[in-house]
RNA sequence: UGUCCCAUGGUGUAAUGGUAACACAGCGGUUUUUGGUACCGUCGUUCUAGGUUCGAGUCCUAGUGGGACAACCA
């Protein structure tokens, strides 16, 4: 029994403190509140794992709430994509909610605010309102419409609602304090008119509530106990509380907003707007391009839900600016795939090997273990014959002792097969090796139990029988940006740092068993890395995405 | 010329006034029919200055550095 105290992150600490003072355990309720205006990315994944993770930890409900108050930007297809991403990550929401479901309640409360003298209709242009708002260091001034009568406000707000008033003619503002040091408290707009069709309410509403007026009230309606958001919303907390003060009823749960730092990932951007630009400018093929840090992109790249959850849990949550090295993400996917991915053989940069003492026209089917990390994974047969492919970089005419691979006059083990010895090679007019002639030791077959098969040979190579090989398209990826923090420099557009060589498409030669794989299946190409079957795969051509390479301590030595 | 937030190894996070630790990355080694995995070892940390305290990474003050705030976006 472990007695060591479990360490809590600051979010859990807040909940624990509340549990000791103000909240009962069954009052806990969380939510994940995306706006359906784009696809979810790895930053959202952290937030999803945080909120749903708290739900699991405290056995509390977690709602999926779409913050859909802006019909100009939001679309049903994003709602669908978000739901599928959250499910794929492995989480179940208690209720599927929409801020738009609360439009009537929000409207009723707005009427109440007007009647209480806490809100007024402003009929100025947005420019004039912005001008009067002042700056962070300069106080704002009151709108000339600030003291309209309640009757007048009610009448005008009614015109906004019916659509009688032209779009943009008026807004409803909360009457707070134009001199506040917090700009958000300077009579924030709470309703604007938008004569656009909403993906759920259609044309029923001509007025749409703003984020600040909607979010906390939605939390209140859903009895969300803790509303966690990113640090940029910290100054909104004062407003969040002010709105709650107006409508909160004694004795009911009062939601609490708390903020954490968003997670930044190195060599990419984590911002819907910037990701959208990559899509629009054609830098990538879409939101689910395997180079994108979107959940759908990572999925297509070959990441597993487990690996993303492990990543999110591992990096924790804090309040300071951060830049998480992408190697941490790569670690989590290697860690998981190492346990679950079958080992197979594929040669991506081939050079021909002829086993001169092996009979022509013969094929032997050899046993190959699927995954040495998992006995239950079983084994399969791989064909061996006289002519093989190995990787070009696995052969050198001569090399020093540190080169454990094939060199003239020396032996290597072919994985799951025989020990071979390089005798000679043929080069083209440029001096490039195009064919290697080897001899094999017939007694050395893997697993045969002979003395020769037990011989220790330093190097082991993967290979593929040429006549049985399956040509496949392989997409190799590099970081999308050349800079660790492409958007850190305000002087330089992040697009300047796009890596022009982030995608390389090649043809590889795989062992025939790969034909059986389905889209999204994951395998390790032995000695190379983890690969997954892309959805672009057709009946005639399989397409693989490289998820991540194996750790390669040789690559560093070899320069 | 404001208000607010933040500051622990290269990176991220913990230490809840009482021996600064864990993971990743790096480096070295053992094992290995993957130069993978596993295992072992190693490097390296409390922004500065004061104060409170028997004792400060933790509390207080100031400074420094970084960040947020001037959408009818969320």
């Amino acid at each position: 029994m472990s007695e060591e105290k479990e360490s809590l992150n600051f979010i859990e600490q807040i909940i624990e403190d509340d549990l000791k003072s103000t909240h009962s355990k069954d009052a806990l309720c969380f939510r994940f509140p995306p706006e359906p205006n784009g696809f979810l990315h790895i930053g959202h994944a952290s937030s999803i794992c945080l909120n749903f993770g708290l739900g699991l930890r405290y056995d509390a409900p977690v709602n999926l709430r779409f913050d859909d108050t802006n019909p100009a930007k939001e679309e049903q297809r994003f709602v669908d994509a978000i739901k599928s991403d959250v499910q794929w990550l492995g989480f179940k929401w208690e209720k599927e909610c929409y801020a738009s479901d609360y439009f009537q309640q929000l409207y009723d409360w707005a009427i109440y605010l007007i009647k209480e003298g806490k809100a007024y209709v402003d009929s100025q242009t947005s420019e004039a309102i912005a001008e009067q708002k002042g700056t962070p260091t300069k106080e704002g001034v009151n709108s000339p419409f600030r003291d309209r009568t309640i009757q007048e406000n009610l009448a005008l707000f009614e015109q906004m609602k019916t659509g009688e008033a032209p779009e943009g003619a008026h807004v409803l503002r909360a009457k707070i304090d134009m001199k506040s040091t917090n700009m958000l408290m300077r009579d924030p707009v709470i309703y604007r008119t938008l004569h656009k069709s909403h993906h759920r309410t259609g044309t029923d509403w001509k007025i749409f509530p703003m984020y600040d007026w909607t979010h906390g009230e939605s939390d209140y309606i859903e009895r969300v106990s803790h509303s966690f958001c990113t640090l940029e919303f910290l100054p909104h907390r004062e407003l969040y509380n002010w709105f709650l003060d107006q409508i909160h009823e004694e004795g009911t749960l009062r939601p609490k907003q708390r903020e954490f730092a968003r997670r930044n990932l190195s060599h990419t951007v984590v911002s819907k707007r910037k990701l959208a630009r990559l899509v629009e400018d054609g830098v990538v093929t879409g939101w689910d391009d395997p180079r994108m840090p979107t959940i759908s992109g990572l999925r297509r790249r070959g990441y597993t839900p487990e690996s993303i959850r492990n990543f999110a849990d591992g990096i924790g949550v804090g309040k300071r600016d951060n830049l998480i090295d992408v190697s941490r993400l790569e670690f989590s996917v290697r860690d998981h795939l190492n346990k679950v991915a079958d080992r197979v053989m594929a040669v991506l940069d081939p050079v021909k090997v002829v086993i001169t003492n092996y009979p022509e026209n013969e094929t032997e089917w050899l046993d190959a273990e699927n995954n040495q990390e998992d006995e239950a994974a079983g084994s399969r047969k791989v064909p061996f014959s006289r002519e093989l492919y190995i990787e070009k970089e696995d052969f050198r005419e001569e090399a020093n002792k540190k080169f454990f691979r094939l060199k003239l006059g020396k032996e290597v083990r072919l994985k799951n097969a025989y020990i071979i010895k390089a005798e000679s090679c043929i080069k083209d007019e440029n001096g490039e090796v195009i064919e290697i002639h080897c001899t094999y030791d017939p007694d050395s077959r893997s697993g045969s139990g002979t003395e020769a098969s037990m011989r220790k040979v330093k190097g082991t190579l993967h290979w593929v029988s040429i006549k049985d090989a399956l040509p496949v398209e392989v997409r190799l990826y590099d970081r999308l940006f050349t800079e660790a923090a492409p958007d850190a420099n305000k002087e330089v557009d992040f697009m300047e740092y796009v890596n022009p060589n982030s995608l390389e498409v090649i043809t590889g030669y795989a062992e025939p068993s790969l034909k059986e794989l389905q889209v999204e299946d994951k395998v390790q190409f032995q000695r190379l890395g983890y690969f997954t079957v892309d959805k672009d795969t057709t009946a005639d051509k399989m397409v693989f995405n490289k998820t991540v390479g194996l750790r390669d301590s040789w690559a560093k030595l070899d320069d």
Side-chain angles (χ1 to χ4, degrees):
Chain A
M1 190 63 85
S2 168
E3 283 298 311
E4 70 186 84
K5 263 185 299 184
E6 188 189 8
S7 73
L8 301 174
N9 63 46
F10 83 100
I11 295 283
E12 292 162 341
Q13 191 63 61
I14 288 167
I15 294 171
E16 294 291 336
D17 289 346
D18 287 343
L19 247 18
K20 284 188 197 115
S21 53
T22 49
H23 290 59
S24 65
K25 191 165 176 299
D26 59 9
L28 294 182
C29 179
F30 312 106
R31 104 269 90 115
F32 173 64
E35 182 190 14
N37 69 342
F39 288 74
L40 262 24
H41 54 62
I42 185 71
H44 296 111
S46 288
S47 175
I48 291 167
C49 292
L50 173 70
N51 283 296
F52 283 93
L54 289 170
L56 259 18
R57 180 189 176 100
Y58 292 102
D59 192 26
V62 184
N63 293 340
L64 174 63
R65 181 170 74 231
F66 291 96
D67 230 330
D68 57 347
T69 58
N70 187 357
K73 291 185 174 174
E74 295 146 8
E75 299 175 33
Q76 184 59 42
R77 68 182 176 111
F78 293 128
V79 170
D80 298 337
I82 288 167
K83 284 165 64 176
S84 123
D85 284 347
V86 174
Q87 280 169 329
W88 179 75
L89 277 175
F91 296 111
K92 289 189 176 61
W93 49 85
E94 178 78 10
K95 286 188 279 189
E96 179 179 332
C97 306
Y98 295 82
S100 53
D101 287 343
Y102 313 137
F103 281 175
Q104 182 62 44
Q105 174 69 78
L106 258 6
Y107 170 78
D108 293 343
W109 276 330
I111 295 289
Y112 169 75
L113 284 188
I114 293 172
K115 288 181 175 168
E116 290 290 300
K118 299 280 183 62
Y120 62 96
V121 172
D122 198 332
S123 306
Q124 302 182 95
T125 62
S126 59
E127 291 75 21
I129 291 173
E131 177 66 30
Q132 288 159 8
K133 202 161 247 181
T135 71
T137 56
K138 187 177 142 234
E139 293 184 342
V141 297
N142 288 171
S143 162
F145 297 103
R146 199 173 198 260
D147 294 317
R148 287 219 252 229
T149 64
I150 289 171
Q151 288 320 313
E152 201 176 353
N153 283 322
L154 253 12
L156 256 12
F157 191 46
E158 177 65 15
Q159 287 178 22
M160 287 169 64
K161 180 173 186 273
T162 60
E164 189 183 328
E167 190 177 63
H170 316 286
V171 291
L172 186 70
R173 289 227 259 171
K175 191 189 279 191
I176 308 180
D177 177 11
M178 292 303 289
K179 292 185 170 61
S180 172
T181 53
N182 183 348
M183 301 234 9
L184 290 157
M185 300 298 279
R186 321 237 264 226
D187 289 10
V189 172
I190 59 178
Y191 269 101
R192 78 286 214 192
T193 51
L194 240 31
H195 295 179
K196 286 197 171 60
S197 180
H198 183 276
H199 68 102
R200 299 194 87 236
T201 63
T203 54
D204 291 354
W205 292 89
K206 310 279 187 277
I207 51 172
F208 290 90
M210 300 291 288
Y211 165 83
D212 287 298
W213 172 235
T214 308
H215 203 92
E217 303 359 87
S218 300
D219 288 338
Y220 181 53
I221 291 166
E222 292 173 22
R223 295 298 186 257
V224 167
S225 59
H226 298 264
S227 185
F228 297 112
C229 59
T230 50
L231 236 29
E232 63 201 287
F233 290 98
L234 198 152
H236 294 247
R237 190 151 112 194
E238 191 180 0
L239 223 206
Y240 181 100
N241 288 333
W242 189 91
F243 283 136
L244 243 25
D245 285 341
Q246 312 311 312
I247 54 111
H248 178 257
E249 286 177 39
E250 197 61 35
T252 59
L253 180 137
R254 187 180 162 113
K256 182 182 261 203
Q257 173 185 304
R258 288 297 181 272
E259 311 79 14
F260 60 89
R262 63 171 244 214
R263 323 319 315 246
N264 298 298
L265 228 210
S266 77
H267 300 91
T268 190
V269 289
V270 187
S271 138
K272 265 192 246 178
R273 212 196 83 246
K274 287 173 184 153
L275 293 173
R277 233 181 109 194
L278 292 169
V279 174
E280 286 156 13
D281 291 9
V283 170
V284 295
T285 57
W287 285 92
D288 68 346
D289 186 295
R291 290 166 291 182
M292 292 282 270
T294 50
I295 294 176
S296 52
L298 290 165
R299 176 178 181 175
R300 196 170 165 194
R301 178 77 171 255
Y303 276 76
T304 58
E306 288 89 337
S307 64
I308 293 175
R309 281 191 254 121
N310 172 278
F311 170 74
D313 293 345
I315 59 178
V317 56
K319 294 182 76 167
R320 45 186 207 193
D321 294 340
N322 58 77
L323 183 64
I324 294 145
D325 201 292
V326 70
S327 67
R328 182 61 185 77
L329 218 211
E330 293 174 343
F331 161 78
S332 70
V333 74
R334 277 195 201 102
D335 192 44
H336 185 226
L337 260 17
N338 174 51
K339 297 184 182 85
V340 300
D342 282 352
R343 273 62 170 167
V344 298
M345 293 195 287
V347 174
L348 300 188
D349 186 19
V351 62
K352 185 174 176 179
V353 167
V354 180
I355 314 288
T356 55
N357 60 339
Y358 193 88
E360 301 198 35
N361 306 320
E362 182 165 326
T363 300
E364 238 182 308
W365 289 82
L366 305 171
D367 283 317
E369 211 177 354
N370 285 332
N371 186 351
Q372 20 311 58
E373 303 297 315
D374 177 13
E375 248 177 67
S379 66
R380 67 186 186 288
K381 297 281 190 183
V382 291
F384 183 84
S385 67
R386 193 171 195 264
E387 298 190 343
L388 313 170
Y389 282 140
I390 65 167
E391 300 288 345
K392 270 192 189 124
E393 64 164 24
D394 284 342
F395 173 74
R396 285 184 195 172
E397 287 183 81
E398 44 189 69
N400 63 25
K401 282 210 302 262
K402 283 183 161 175
F403 186 78
F404 302 159
R405 309 177 185 189
L406 190 61
K407 53 192 164 189
L408 255 21
K410 299 291 179 187
E411 291 186 315
V412 290
R413 156 77 61 187
L414 291 180
K415 179 77 184 172
N416 303 315
Y418 298 94
I419 294 171
I420 61 168
K421 183 185 192 181
E423 307 287 357
S424 62
C425 63
I426 300 173
K427 296 186 217 172
D428 65 11
E429 60 275 15
N430 303 318
E432 189 103 355
V433 174
I434 52 170
E435 201 169 300
I436 305 157
H437 288 188
C438 298
T439 52
Y440 85 119
D441 176 351
D443 291 331
S444 65
R445 200 183 77 227
S446 291
S448 63
T450 63
E451 204 172 308
S453 74
M454 315 281 227
R455 278 166 53 210
K456 298 288 174 201
V457 181
K458 188 62 185 170
T460 301
L461 306 185
H462 62 279
W463 52 274
V464 65
S465 162
I466 294 180
K467 68 183 160 76
D468 302 289
L470 181 70
V472 295
E473 178 174 320
V474 181
R475 298 175 182 170
L476 307 172
Y477 302 104
D478 197 356
R479 336 207 119 148
L480 236 195
F481 292 91
T482 54
E483 286 286 307
D487 50 0
N489 186 346
K490 293 190 189 73
E491 311 294 308
V492 183
D493 183 26
F494 73 100
M495 296 293 276
E496 301 281 316
Y497 296 121
V498 166
N499 176 5
N501 306 312
S502 59
L503 170 65
E504 186 187 353
V505 180
I506 60 172
T507 296
Y509 297 87
E511 60 168 86
S513 73
L514 296 212
K515 272 198 291 269
E516 309 306 321
L517 295 180
Q518 306 294 310
V519 172
E520 284 194 14
D521 279 352
K522 291 146 183 68
V523 288
Q524 183 195 102
F525 286 177
Q526 219 143 194
R527 298 210 305 136
L528 296 176
Y530 295 99
F531 293 77
T532 189
V533 181
D534 190 78
K535 66 177 185 182
D536 286 349
T537 290
T538 64
D540 338 298
K541 188 178 70 176
M542 292 191 81
V543 179
F544 284 86
N545 293 318
K546 182 175 183 177
T547 307
V548 67
L550 258 25
R551 273 188 67 216
D552 188 356
S553 46
W554 160 253
K556 290 167 208 149
L557 297 172
D558 186 39
D559 49 50

